[in-house]
Amino acid sequence: MASADEASGAPASGSGRLLTGVAWAVLLLGLWLWGREATEGPGGSSAPTTGDVAAVGRPLGVPLPPARDPLRPAGPSTVEIPSIGVKAPVVTRGLDTTGAVDPPPFATPQTVGWFGSGTRPGAEGAALFVGHVDTQTRPAVFYGLSTARPGEKIRVTRTDGSVAEFTIDDVQVVSRDRFDAKKVYGVRQPGRAELRLITCGGTYDRASGAYTANVVVSAYLTDARGI
């Protein structure tokens, strides 16, 4: 995530990194709270999201395949979203000195970060991937994430050589002032292997130097190869 591009009139010098940091702050606070619950007690809620979020695309009548049984745990190495042209390496991210989840480095904007202390993708629970939406001068790995739609596929190649295929079932824009970590990161259906992909969204707020929302794509495991 980063400041808006030059056409928006946002600052275009060293202040870009500061604005990027502010844009991450709300998201990372939510991740920290969620991560703490994941290690100290039950993580998340199975309750559906409510009016605190806006649906980007949830067309009626989209046939979705049944969920398959979760896989044995294994870490991720790459993630692919064919419908939006994403194929990117995945790196493990932990907590920084402030207790927040470290985003991918600014120097590697086409890299996706996985919260390594949480669920492994394909295993039971909700695995969490985060990525930048843009940099000071160009789109980043999750620039097109808000255009993803239910029914489209996400493939995660795992460190054991298997490929876990997820089907998107929800795309939402969650406003900063209504961000609820349990609703965003919690498991939607107990017993499933789920995936969350998150980046900045909404509009760029010049007054606060941050984006107004986060894009949250939810998916669940429907197929696997090489297991």
Side-chain angles (χ1 to χ4, degrees):
M1 303 171 192
S3 59
D5 60 27
E6 294 176 0
S8 71
S13 64
S15 60
R17 285 177 179 261
L18 173 60
L19 298 177
T20 300
V22 174
W24 272 103
V26 172
L27 171 62
L28 298 186
L29 175 60
L31 297 184
W32 177 77
L33 293 171
W34 172 81
R36 188 174 64 177
E37 282 204 8
T39 56
E40 295 179 1
S45 167
S46 60
T49 50
T50 65
D52 291 348
V53 297
V56 172
R58 197 182 307 169
L60 295 175
V62 173
L64 297 177
R68 66 150 290 154
D69 291 338
L71 309 176
R72 63 179 179 272
S77 57
T78 62
V79 59
E80 183 178 5
I81 315 171
S83 63
I84 61 173
V86 169
K87 186 173 184 179
V90 179
V91 295
T92 303
R93 308 303 290 169
L95 300 179
D96 63 19
T97 55
T98 69
V101 176
D102 247 348
F106 290 109
T108 57
Q110 299 302 322
T111 297
V112 173
W114 164 60
F115 181 52
S117 295
T119 300
R120 284 158 172 71
E124 182 177 348
L128 176 62
F129 285 7
V130 296
H132 294 288
V133 67
D134 59 15
T135 68
Q136 204 169 341
T137 59
R138 58 180 176 168
V141 63
F142 280 167
Y143 184 79
L145 193 61
S146 64
T147 66
R149 291 295 180 262
E152 296 173 350
K153 305 299 182 182
I154 300 171
R155 299 185 184 98
V156 178
T157 300
R158 309 194 312 160
T159 53
D160 63 357
S162 65
V163 178
E165 183 173 272
F166 297 82
T167 298
I168 297 173
D169 62 349
D170 199 20
V171 183
Q172 299 174 343
V173 177
V174 185
S175 63
R176 281 192 301 155
D177 58 350
R178 297 299 181 93
F179 195 95
D180 185 322
K182 286 186 177 181
K183 289 180 179 179
V184 172
Y185 306 124
V187 174
R188 289 170 174 252
Q189 292 189 25
R192 289 199 314 187
E194 299 182 351
L195 188 65
R196 301 286 183 277
L197 278 62
I198 304 171
T199 192
C200 288
T203 59
Y204 181 76
D205 181 3
R206 294 173 60 87
S208 65
Y211 285 92
T212 59
N214 291 111
V215 176
V216 181
V217 170
S218 298
Y220 63 100
L221 185 69
T222 52
D223 201 0
R225 300 193 303 272
I227 58 174

